[in-house]
Amino acid sequence: MCRAIVKNEPGEHPFVPENFMSPAFGRFVRSGLKVPRLLAEGFWDMIAHPIDSSLFEPMTRLSRALPVGVFRNEPIRAYLEKIFSMHGRTDDFRELRRKLVLVATDLDSGRSVRFGEPGLDHVPISTAVQASTALPGLYPPVLIDGRHYVDGVLLKTVHASVALEEGAELVFCVNPIVPVDTFRSVELGVMRRGQLVDRGLPTVLAQTFRTMVHSRMGAGLAAYETRYADRDVLVFEPRRDDYDMFFTNVFSFSNRKAVCEHAYNSTRRKLWRNRTRIEPILARHGLRLRTEDLEDQDRDLWKSVRLHERRPRSRSPVTQRLEKTLAKIESMVAEQTV
């Protein structure tokens, strides 16, 4: 994954922004074509029922023309299908050696579904991931066998119960959805005033979403402690003041390597700080925390993923000039948004 993320050249499965942030132009066009009909229906109802309607009625109908997703998620499915279908891999739940379950939400019933379990294991893994990550508003619902599915986060932040119900005694959860705390951001020079409103509506909505989801996760974990008292759940998540993680554009090639290295080192530090709590938990399950690796200050992420062994390809002058121009644009944007 590290090799795929940090390379800015074609490879086995290159990580490119277009796979995740491809505008849904088709949906915008189709939505626009609905406007005349919706306005006509609204005015007709107003004329037919003048007492019960108002001029505002036709306007409210226009909300139906709003697209249900800003970005397309079909490229995500195609990306995953390609990498799951090479080198002896599989895109079929039924061919896996280990059981895999992906949770999504049935939009029309509001109930969770578990792709990979009998009855839903015929759905390709790539399609199940597409449905499981279809965050409403950002990506459109995914149609599978006549039903529409969206992100499973609508019902629960951490679906650790899926593994616990299968008999898992130790569950590791990785949760990146943590609200940022800007208390020290001015002191560290990350923000001018330490106020998220300066970054606009997307940042405010993101903080709201993160806060709600993280709060629900805390309530869910508390319930697990009671319901599965004989099991252990370890949650790994970033610090709330980890500004390098929150305010870095991971879709920028120039930032990806730094983000990966930062995540690797911060995780190592967190494991070391919490070793006295984690080690007894792991010991109960016959596992051991390799503290000698955590103490090794020379341990290098890139050597472990064998990136040092790859000699970079020579780039054309045109490519070099383009990269420099993009870097300048990124720097200018960062100065305006901080």
Side-chain angles (χ1 to χ4, degrees), residues 77 80 91 93 100-104 114-116 120 123-134 142 144 149-150:
R77 186 208 60 77
L80 294 175
D91 197 27
F93 283 104
L100 172 65
V101 176
L102 297 171
V103 182
R114 301 178 179 183
F115 292 108
L120 289 172
V123 178
I125 298 174
S126 55
T127 303
V129 174
Q130 179 190 11
S132 182
T133 58
V142 178
I144 302 175
Y149 298 95
V150 294

Side-chain angles (χ1 to χ4, degrees), residues 15-316:
F15 178 95
V16 293
E18 290 78 12
N19 289 333
F20 305 91
M21 301 180 68
S22 178
F25 292 122
R27 290 186 175 273
F28 282 99
V29 172
R30 289 192 294 272
S31 296
L33 295 176
K34 295 179 182 179
V35 172
R37 177 178 59 82
L38 291 172
L39 281 175
E41 291 176 352
F43 282 117
W44 176 257
D45 285 346
M46 186 175 65
I47 295 173
H49 307 90
I51 298 178
D52 299 328
S53 303
S54 67
L55 189 60
F56 189 66
E57 176 68 20
M59 300 299 104
T60 59
R61 281 179 174 262
L62 292 181
S63 62
R64 303 179 188 179
L66 293 174
V68 293
V70 177
F71 301 110
R72 298 170 57 231
N73 50 10
E74 173 59 24
I76 298 176
R77 186 208 60 77
Y79 169 84
L80 294 175
E81 180 185 32
K82 180 178 179 180
I83 64 175
F84 289 166
S85 302
M86 58 174 54
H87 304 311
R89 303 168 187 168
T90 180
D91 197 27
D92 192 327
F93 283 104
R94 297 163 294 187
E95 295 179 0
L96 295 174
R97 290 192 298 270
R98 303 292 183 184
K99 185 172 183 178
L100 172 65
V101 176
L102 297 171
V103 182
T105 302
D106 186 315
L107 182 62
D108 293 302
S109 69
R111 298 180 178 179
S112 64
V113 295
R114 301 178 179 183
F115 292 108
E117 293 193 340
L120 289 172
D121 55 357
H122 66 285
V123 178
I125 298 174
S126 55
T127 303
V129 174
Q130 179 190 11
S132 182
T133 58
L135 189 64
L138 195 62
Y139 295 113
V142 178
L143 182 63
I144 302 175
D145 296 339
R147 307 290 296 183
H148 286 95
Y149 298 95
V150 294
D151 197 317
V153 77
L154 264 65
L155 295 174
K156 192 183 298 182
T157 304
V158 179
H159 291 269
S161 57
V162 175
L164 294 169
E165 289 172 7
E166 289 289 329
E169 298 179 353
L170 174 64
V171 178
F172 293 93
C173 298
V174 178
N175 173 49
I177 307 176
V178 176
V180 61
D181 183 351
T182 62
F183 182 75
R184 298 178 61 241
S185 62
V186 176
E187 175 188 342
L188 297 176
V190 177
M191 302 177 70
R192 293 176 182 173
R193 299 194 305 160
Q195 298 179 352
L196 292 178
V197 293
D198 295 337
R199 290 175 172 260
L201 179 62
T203 300
V204 173
L205 292 177
Q207 178 76 337
T208 302
F209 173 76
R210 287 175 176 273
T211 302
M212 294 174 59
V213 169
H214 194 259
S215 175
R216 288 198 312 168
M217 188 193 72
L221 292 175
Y224 292 152
E225 292 180 0
T226 302
R227 185 177 178 183
Y228 302 100
D230 58 335
R231 318 284 181 84
D232 290 305
V233 178
L234 287 175
V235 180
F236 296 90
E237 57 187 22
R239 291 165 51 96
R240 293 193 177 198
D241 60 352
D242 190 344
Y243 304 123
D244 288 338
M245 195 279 291
F246 285 107
F247 298 134
T248 300
N249 178 16
V250 295
F251 287 107
S252 166
F253 278 114
S254 61
N255 291 333
R256 291 182 192 177
K257 190 169 183 179
V259 170
C260 287
E261 190 169 28
H262 171 74
Y264 176 76
N265 290 328
S266 63
T267 301
R268 288 186 60 201
R269 288 193 296 269
K270 188 166 187 177
L271 286 171
W272 176 256
R273 288 195 303 267
N274 294 277
R275 64 188 183 282
T276 56
R277 180 179 64 88
I278 295 175
E279 285 183 313
I281 296 176
L282 296 179
R284 286 200 294 268
H285 303 278
L287 302 176
R288 182 180 71 86
L289 185 65
R290 294 189 295 182
T291 53
E292 64 275 12
D293 289 339
L294 299 179
E295 290 179 300
D296 183 5
Q297 298 298 319
D298 296 325
R299 192 169 181 81
D300 181 55
L301 167 64
W302 309 117
K303 184 179 295 183
S304 67
V305 299
R306 299 190 302 279
L307 270 181
H308 289 320
E309 298 175 6
R310 296 174 178 240
R311 183 174 300 173
R313 298 180 182 178
S314 59
R315 295 169 294 173
S316 67

